[in-house]
């Protein structure tokens, strides 16, 4: 890729390479893979840079949510499965989306806003 293209991608936040003491850019293997994906989406799919930035952000969000879901599933399995978890545990999520399991009657630590949402399986019956 042309150095000006790399500067533009850095400027708009598509990649954020590390910097040397002389302010030179150092691209990791992950950065290079991302640059190749950006080039492919741009050239083969005809997607503009704003669209590519959004696609990459959504891919990162899906990966984060998949990891969080895996963690919740592991927690449920460690508690003896969904049936045991639904009778003995309550799950809370903070504003950043972090999920934690609490014992029934235990109160979650409230965040800065103090807001709390309660969800009960089966419509709260």
């Amino acid at each position: 890729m042309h150095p000006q293209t790399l500067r533009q991608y850095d400027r708009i936040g598509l990649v954020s390479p590390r910097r040397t003491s002389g302010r030179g850019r150092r691209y990791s293997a992950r950065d290079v893979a991302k640059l190749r994906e950006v080039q492919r989406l741009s050239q083969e799919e005809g997607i503009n840079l704003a669209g590519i930035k959004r696609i990459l952000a959504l891919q990162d969000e899906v990966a984060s949510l998949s990891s969080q879901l895996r963690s919740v599933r592991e927690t449920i399995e460690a508690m003896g499965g969904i049936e045991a978890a639904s009778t003995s545990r309550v799950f809370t999520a903070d504003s950043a989306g972090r999920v934690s399991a609490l014992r029934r009657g235990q109160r979650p630590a409230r965040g800065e806003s103090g807001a709390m949402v309660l969800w009960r399986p089966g419509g709260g019956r």
Side-chain angles (χ1 to χ4, degrees):
M1 287 188 172
H2 193 276
Q4 187 62 33
T5 302
L6 294 173
R7 283 197 246 357
Q8 180 183 12
Y9 289 176
D10 186 10
R11 191 172 39 255
I12 64 175
L14 286 175
V15 291
S16 299
R18 293 183 182 214
R19 301 290 181 147
T20 64
S21 58
R23 299 285 299 149
R25 291 173 177 82
R26 293 286 179 230
Y27 294 93
S28 67
R30 179 178 287 158
D31 292 333
V32 171
K34 189 180 275 191
L35 287 168
R36 286 185 174 141
E37 179 67 5
V38 168
Q39 187 175 37
R40 186 190 70 75
L41 289 170
S42 176
Q43 292 177 354
E44 294 176 15
E45 305 295 332
I47 300 172
N48 66 21
L49 294 180
I52 292 171
K53 187 174 181 178
R54 182 69 177 140
I55 288 169
L56 294 176
L58 289 171
Q59 287 176 338
D60 290 344
E61 187 175 350
V62 166
S64 173
L65 291 171
S66 294
S67 173
Q68 185 179 0
L69 179 59
R70 191 171 30 262
S71 174
V72 169
R73 284 182 174 156
E74 289 169 1
T75 301
I76 289 172
E77 287 304 314
M79 292 186 307
I82 193 72
E83 294 80 21
S86 66
T87 60
S88 64
R89 296 285 180 152
V90 175
F91 291 93
T92 65
D94 63 13
S95 60
R98 290 181 296 269
V99 176
S100 58
L102 302 172
R103 295 194 189 300
R104 289 208 179 270
Q106 182 181 4
R107 298 274 181 200
R110 294 217 177 159
E112 296 171 12
S113 71
M116 182 187 334
V117 175
L118 178 63
W119 175 82
R120 294 178 190 212
R125 291 181 224 143

